[in-house]
């Protein structure tokens, strides 16, 4: 399968767009005695939607179960599910839940407790074989599982491999694809290539004032410096009102200082006092960019590196308007750079190369009248055969991270070359701090971080203000 079969989506970090819903009934077996309904994302390639049910039956789904799929804009799913579940609606039977907002539904008792309904061997497979952070994003307070990972999204750092070679670097010989660089080293390489090649931009990234800053762009960079919003991994999902607020710690401030350095150079009064970081490699334009112009700048050949996005983005690079048939030669991927190593971080499991976690898990509507059939559908979707076929038609990474190194995945002519890097990133993912008040806290986090990076506040002042606001929110909603 070539590039044309790969879909484009920024999984698990979406804007509030229109519904864009369509319904696919093609291929559904009219003879099926039980119909299971569910949603796929509207950005899923049409051929993947059309093949979805047949792939399930090929993977072993009972012939008397049919699957009716509708596609919806990711930006509408959360509100739609909340309305339907609040009304006690039994459809759809299977809910496609963003890893960034599953937990509030769990707290409200609106998802079926799969730990009470799945067989023990299936639960053990989820615990043993699926990405830990993805599983934890649908886990209840007592450790029960309410969702099974389906579409996994981790992110490496795209770069122009051809331009790096022309500038005298040896990405293959220096193992760029698997050995993370420091931000200092990568910034210097970027500045050098940008200068030699006359590129308009060095590094582009989405940094528009939105929850994208909180969940993804800054969450990753802060973590790469060993920083945390709420005291590390142990407090990512609460308890609200009883967790430390650590946004004013030095590691968080250093992450902000680095961004000021990379944007404005060492003349910025709050730049890092470290000349090993190259200044001016990130354009200030990114403060208004969000998964559009930042990507366009890279695909258009005007930037050396791009800091976010699924490997499916390489599909655009393969188009005639961008890199053409030589995309695999021109576009490489490296692990995310790091500020400090994990060994130097005060928070366990944070520091070093880190990717934000995004993606979608599958949960079951507790009001469903087709519960047993829905469980069988989910169990079928957990199989290696289905997950690898789904990857090859949709471009979504399998959440069983061992599959990233399977022949069925690495042999993909376009995306296979990135799997070594994505395997590294799959072991180094950081979820956003999701609780029932996450979106309220995300709004103030993104605002204050944006204030600092746009030079409207000093790092210390901005994070002190943010800490006060977060503490007030935590105390108001403490449980």
């Amino acid at each position: 399968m070539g590039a044309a079969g790969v879909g484009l989506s920024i999984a698990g970090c979406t804007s509030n767009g229109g519904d864009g819903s369509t319904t696919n009934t093609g291929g559904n077996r009219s003879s099926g005695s039980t119909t299971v309904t569910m949603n796929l994302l509207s950005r899923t390639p049409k051929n993947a939607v059309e093949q979805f049910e047949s792939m399930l039956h090929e993977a072993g789904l009972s012939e008397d179960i049919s699957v009716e799929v509708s596609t919806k804009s990711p930006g509408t799913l959360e509100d739609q599910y909340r309305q339907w579940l609040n009304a006690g609606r039994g459809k759809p039977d299977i809910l496609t839940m963003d890893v960034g907002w599953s937990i509030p539904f769990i707290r409200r008792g609106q998802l079926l407790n799969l730990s009470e309904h799945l067989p023990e061997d299936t639960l053990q497979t989820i615990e043993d074989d699926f990405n830990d952070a993805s599983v934890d994003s649908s886990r209840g307070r007592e450790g029960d599982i309410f969702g099974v990972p389906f579409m996994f999204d981790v992110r490496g750092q795209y770069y122009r491999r051809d331009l790096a070679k022309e500038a005298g670097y040896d990405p293959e010989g220096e193992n760029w694809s698997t050995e993370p660089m420091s931000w200092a080293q990568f910034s210097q390489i970027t500045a050098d290539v940008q200068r030699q090649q006359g590129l308009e931009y060095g590094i582009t990234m989405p940094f528009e004032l939105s929850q994208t800053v909180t969940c993804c762009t800054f969450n990753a960079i802060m973590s790469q410096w060993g920083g945390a919003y709420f005291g590390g991994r142990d407090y990512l999902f609460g308890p609200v009102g009883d967790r430390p607020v650590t946004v004013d710690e030095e590691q968080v401030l250093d992450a902000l200082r680095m961004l000021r350095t990379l944007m404005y150079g060492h003349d910025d009064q709050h730049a890092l006092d470290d000349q090993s970081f190259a200044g001016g490699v990130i354009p200030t334009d990114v403060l208004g960019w969000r998964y559009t112009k930042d990507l366009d700048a890279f695909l258009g050949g005007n930037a050396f590196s791009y800091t976010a996005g699924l490997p499916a983005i390489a599909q655009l690079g393969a188009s005639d308007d961008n890199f053409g048939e030589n995309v695999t030669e021109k576009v490489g991927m490296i692990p995310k750079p790091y500020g400090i190593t994990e060994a130097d971080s005060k928070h366990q499991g944070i520091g070093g190369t880190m990717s934000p976690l995004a993606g979608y898990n599958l949960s079951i509507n507790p009001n469903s009248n087709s519960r047993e059939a829905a469980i069988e559908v989910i169990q079928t979707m957990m199989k290696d055969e289905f997950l690898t076929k789904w990857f090859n038609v949709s471009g979504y990474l399998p959440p069983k991270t061992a599959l990233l190194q399977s022949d069925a995945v690495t042999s993909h002519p376009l995306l296979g070359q990135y799997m070594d890097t994505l395997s590294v990133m799959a072991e180094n993912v950081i979820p956003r701090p999701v609780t029932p008040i996450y979106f309220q806290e995300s709004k103030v986090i993104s605002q204050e971080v944006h204030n600092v990076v746009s030079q409207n506040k000093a790092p210390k002042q901005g994070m002190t203000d943010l800490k006060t606001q977060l503490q007030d929110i935590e105390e108001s909603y403490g449980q």
Side-chain angles (χ1 to χ4, degrees):
M1 195 207 83
V6 180
L8 172 65
S9 176
I10 308 299
C13 196
T14 54
S15 60
N16 289 323
D19 189 334
S21 63
T22 60
T23 300
N24 170 60
T25 57
N28 285 344
R29 289 161 169 75
S30 58
S31 61
S33 60
T34 304
T35 298
V36 172
T37 57
M38 65 176 294
N39 302 118
L40 292 176
L41 305 184
S42 56
R43 292 169 178 167
T44 305
K46 182 179 179 181
N47 67 317
V49 176
E50 291 173 344
Q51 297 178 57
F52 183 75
E53 187 188 34
S54 63
M55 287 193 298
L56 284 169
H57 285 284
E58 290 169 6
L61 181 66
S62 298
E63 289 297 320
D64 62 352
I65 297 176
S66 62
V67 181
E68 184 178 290
V69 176
S70 63
T71 59
K72 285 192 171 292
S73 166
T76 69
L77 276 177
E78 183 193 8
D79 287 342
Q80 190 73 80
Y81 286 163
R82 187 166 56 246
Q83 293 172 19
W84 289 343
L85 293 170
N86 285 343
R89 175 171 163 167
K91 298 291 184 180
D93 303 290
I94 297 176
L95 307 170
T96 303
M97 306 289 294
D98 190 305
V99 297
W101 40 253
S102 293
I103 286 178
F105 285 86
I106 296 172
R107 296 286 192 267
R108 292 193 294 265
Q110 292 181 316
L111 301 179
L112 187 71
N113 187 339
L114 299 181
S115 292
E116 297 176 352
H117 291 87
L118 291 178
E120 190 60 38
D121 60 340
T122 301
L123 291 169
Q124 198 60 52
T125 296
I126 295 171
E127 296 284 8
D128 293 345
D129 297 347
F130 284 75
N131 179 265
D132 292 341
S134 294
V135 175
D136 288 344
S137 70
S138 289
R139 200 184 287 277
R141 282 198 183 101
E142 305 303 319
D144 288 349
I145 293 172
F146 289 79
V148 178
F150 173 40
M151 292 181 289
F152 182 49
D153 182 8
V154 292
R155 291 141 190 211
Q157 188 93 9
Y158 286 102
Y159 76 100
R160 289 292 302 276
R161 178 164 45 207
D162 58 334
L163 300 186
K165 290 180 177 179
E166 290 176 17
Y169 296 95
D170 182 13
E172 286 78 17
E174 297 173 5
N175 300 319
W176 282 18
S177 65
T178 55
E179 296 183 11
M181 300 182 196
S182 68
W183 268 109
Q185 179 185 6
F186 187 64
S187 69
Q188 293 292 348
I189 291 173
T190 299
D192 184 28
V193 176
Q194 183 180 2
R195 180 178 60 254
Q196 288 195 46
Q197 301 292 337
L199 297 173
E200 185 175 2
Y201 307 120
I203 302 169
T204 64
M205 62 175 62
F207 221 95
E208 178 191 75
L209 179 55
S210 69
Q211 71 130 337
T212 298
V213 171
T214 306
C215 78
C216 303
T217 309
F218 187 67
N219 191 25
I221 292 173
M222 172 184 67
S223 301
Q224 293 152 14
W225 276 91
Y229 295 125
F230 298 103
R233 289 185 179 273
D234 291 345
Y235 300 99
L236 277 170
F237 307 125
V240 172
D242 192 25
R243 57 181 175 170
V245 178
T246 52
V247 292
D248 62 339
E249 290 185 341
E250 203 64 23
Q251 298 97 321
V252 180
L253 300 182
D254 280 342
L256 292 164
R257 292 169 184 140
M258 182 193 74
L259 286 168
R260 297 268 292 243
T261 306
L262 299 187
M263 281 191 189
Y264 308 105
H266 289 277
D267 290 339
D268 184 286
Q269 62 177 321
H270 297 291
L272 288 170
D273 186 19
D274 186 343
Q275 295 299 318
S276 65
F277 289 82
V281 295
I282 298 177
T284 57
D285 293 346
V286 304
L287 294 167
W289 287 355
R290 183 182 181 190
Y291 297 132
T292 50
K293 293 183 179 180
D294 53 328
L295 172 59
D296 292 342
F298 179 72
L299 296 178
N302 298 319
F304 174 63
S305 180
Y306 174 62
T307 69
L310 291 169
I313 287 175
Q315 178 207 6
L316 294 184
S319 71
D320 291 338
D321 293 336
N322 299 303
F323 302 130
E325 296 179 355
N326 297 321
V327 61
T328 55
E329 299 175 9
K330 293 184 176 182
V331 180
M333 185 189 290
I334 64 172
K336 294 283 190 182
Y338 63 88
I340 64 173
T341 66
E342 182 182 347
D344 292 329
S345 172
K346 65 181 291 185
H347 302 300
Q348 186 175 3
I350 298 178
T353 184
M354 301 209 76
S355 166
L357 173 70
Y360 290 84
N361 297 345
L362 299 175
S363 297
I364 294 180
N365 185 339
N367 308 310
S368 169
N369 292 319
S370 304
R371 182 180 297 177
E372 295 306 314
I375 288 173
E376 184 176 336
V377 170
I378 287 181
Q379 288 178 295
T380 305
M381 294 171 72
M382 291 172 55
K383 294 182 178 181
D384 293 0
E385 175 188 354
F386 177 83
L387 290 172
T388 53
K389 284 184 178 180
W390 179 246
F391 162 75
N392 275 283
V393 298
S394 72
Y396 290 110
L397 297 176
K400 286 184 176 180
T401 48
L403 292 180
L404 298 180
Q405 291 297 317
S406 66
D407 290 343
V409 173
T410 59
S411 62
H412 191 286
L414 178 61
L415 305 183
Q417 65 166 322
Y418 303 127
M419 293 305 145
D420 285 346
T421 302
L422 291 170
S423 293
V424 173
M425 299 317 305
E427 299 300 322
N428 295 276
V429 291
I430 185 72
R432 65 207 77 171
V434 180
T435 66
I437 58 172
Y438 166 70
F439 287 105
Q440 184 175 351
E441 294 186 323
S442 173
K443 184 176 181 179
V444 296
I445 291 172
S446 60
Q447 181 65 68
E448 292 298 350
V449 168
H450 201 272
N451 285 342
V452 172
V453 178
S454 60
Q455 294 182 310
N456 289 319
K457 286 188 178 182
K460 183 67 175 178
Q461 183 62 57
M463 293 303 98
T464 299
D465 293 346
L466 175 58
K467 182 175 184 177
T468 299
Q469 294 174 72
L470 291 176
Q471 287 176 329
D472 288 346
I473 296 172
E474 291 277 312
E475 291 172 6
S476 297
Y477 292 89
Q479 301 171 2

